[in-house]
């Protein structure tokens, strides 16, 4: 099984090379951003927004800054691994034609795919944690605890996406990986809209509307939840991964072990 994990990681060799360059760029840009937001031009922009916009509070300005940092924190985790390329590489190499003849059980072959996800996202989360330590020391926009919550939430959401993508790849078969990616994204979006319908509806109305009756605390509630409830996303990721693994294994067995 260890050999299969190494094989999957080697399929992501180009992404891992890109990951190194991405990390270097994210570290530099993030540090420059927090320094500018504290001492430079971005700090002046924040003061201008408070002076010229009566509907905007200091919390709103901080949350806008948090959104930028969240985007930068997502980049390392996103760039480190995408199981879509593993399935595409296996399909091109015809690996599914010989995989069933390997002296490794179907359960272990399937498990290796899921373990690859968590190994890669653990690397991205570890790098993000180090970056969070540096950024939290340089800015008061977010504490290290908030950074850590974002890291856990981001890695968990991406783990859910990857687990669902593996399931859809097994269901659809080789050559249809792009459809599996779309279905995985749509499943996550649909689930989020259903669970947090009121918050999503409020945000859409006030982004597209005129802002009358704007409630700042409600508008930022999804962000606060993402930042403070990382353990909830982690628990959901574990449950989704278990269900996805069981369903993927069942379907692969029905397909006579083709994976």
């Amino acid at each position: 099984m260890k050999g299969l994990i190494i094989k999957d990681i080697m399929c992501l060799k180009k992404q891992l090379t890109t990951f190194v360059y991405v990390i270097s760029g994210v570290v530099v840009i993030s540090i420059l951003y927090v320094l500018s937001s504290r001492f430079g031009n971005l700090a002046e922009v924040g003061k201008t927004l408070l002076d010229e916009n009566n509907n905007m509070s200091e919390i709103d300005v901080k949350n806008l800054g948090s959104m930028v940092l969240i985007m930068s924190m997502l980049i390392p985790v996103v760039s480190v691994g995408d199981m879509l390329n593993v399935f595409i590489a296996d399909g091109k190499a015809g690996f599914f034609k010989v995989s069933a003849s390997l002296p490794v059980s179907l359960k272990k072959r399937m498990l290796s795919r899921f373990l690859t996800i968590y190994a890669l996202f653990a690397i991205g989360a570890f790098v993000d944690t180090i970056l969070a330590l540096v950024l939290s020391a340089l800015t008061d926009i977010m504490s290290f605890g908030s950074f850590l919550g974002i890291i856990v939430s981001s890695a968990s959401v991406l783990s859910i996406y990857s687990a669902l993508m593996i399931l859809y790849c097994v269901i659809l078969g080789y050559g249809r990986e792009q459809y599996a990616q779309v279905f995985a994204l749509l499943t996550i979006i649909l689930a989020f809209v259903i669970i947090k319908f009121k918050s999503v509806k409020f945000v859409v109305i006030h982004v597209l509307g005129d802002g009358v009756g704007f409630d700042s605390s409600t508008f930022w509630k999804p962000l606060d939840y993402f930042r403070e409830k990382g353990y909830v996303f982690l628990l959901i990721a574990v449950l989704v991964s278990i269900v996805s693994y069981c369903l993927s294994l069942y379907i692969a067995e029905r397909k006579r072990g083709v994976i």
Side-chain angles (χ1 to χ4, degrees), residues 59-161:
I59 294 177
D60 295 325
V61 174
K62 279 192 174 184
N63 282 335
L64 287 173
S66 297
M67 288 296 295
V68 176
L69 288 178
I70 289 173
M71 294 299 105
S72 66
M73 299 296 286
L74 282 172
I75 293 174
V77 183
V78 171
S79 64
V80 72
D82 185 352
M83 293 303 293
L84 181 70
N85 290 330
V86 175
F87 280 93
I88 292 175
D90 281 354
K92 290 181 178 179
F95 180 73
F96 62 95
K97 296 178 181 178
V98 299
S99 60
S101 63
L102 295 175
V104 181
S105 66
L106 177 59
K107 290 182 179 180
K108 290 184 177 180
R109 296 204 306 273
M110 186 66 68
L111 183 60
S112 69
R113 287 286 164 95
F114 284 84
L115 290 179
T116 301
I117 294 174
Y118 304 123
L120 292 172
F121 285 145
I123 293 172
F126 175 74
V127 172
D128 263 349
T129 301
I130 296 176
L131 179 59
L133 282 169
V134 176
L135 295 180
S136 61
L138 295 175
T139 182
D140 58 353
I141 294 177
M142 284 194 296
S143 64
F144 176 71
S146 295
F147 274 118
L148 193 60
I150 289 170
I151 294 169
V152 173
S153 298
S154 302
S156 298
V157 170
L158 290 169
S159 296
I160 292 171
Y161 159 74

Side-chain angles (χ1 to χ4, degrees), residues 159-227:
S159 296
I160 292 171
Y161 159 74
S162 294
L164 290 173
M165 193 178 66
I166 290 177
L167 173 60
Y168 285 122
C169 281
V170 173
I171 293 173
L172 298 174
Y174 289 101
R176 300 181 180 89
E177 293 83 6
Q178 301 294 338
Y179 295 107
Q181 186 179 39
V182 172
F183 289 151
L185 288 172
L186 289 177
T187 301
I188 293 176
I189 294 171
L190 180 61
F192 178 77
V193 171
I194 293 173
I195 294 171
K196 302 294 292 182
F197 176 75
K198 290 183 179 180
S199 296
V200 172
K201 181 181 178 182
F202 180 90
V203 172
V204 171
I205 288 174
H206 288 283
V207 167
L208 300 179
D210 56 7
V212 176
F214 178 81
D215 182 0
S216 177
S217 61
T218 304
F219 184 84
W220 294 113
K221 189 174 289 185
L223 172 63
D224 293 336
Y225 195 88
F226 192 77
R227 187 167 47 192

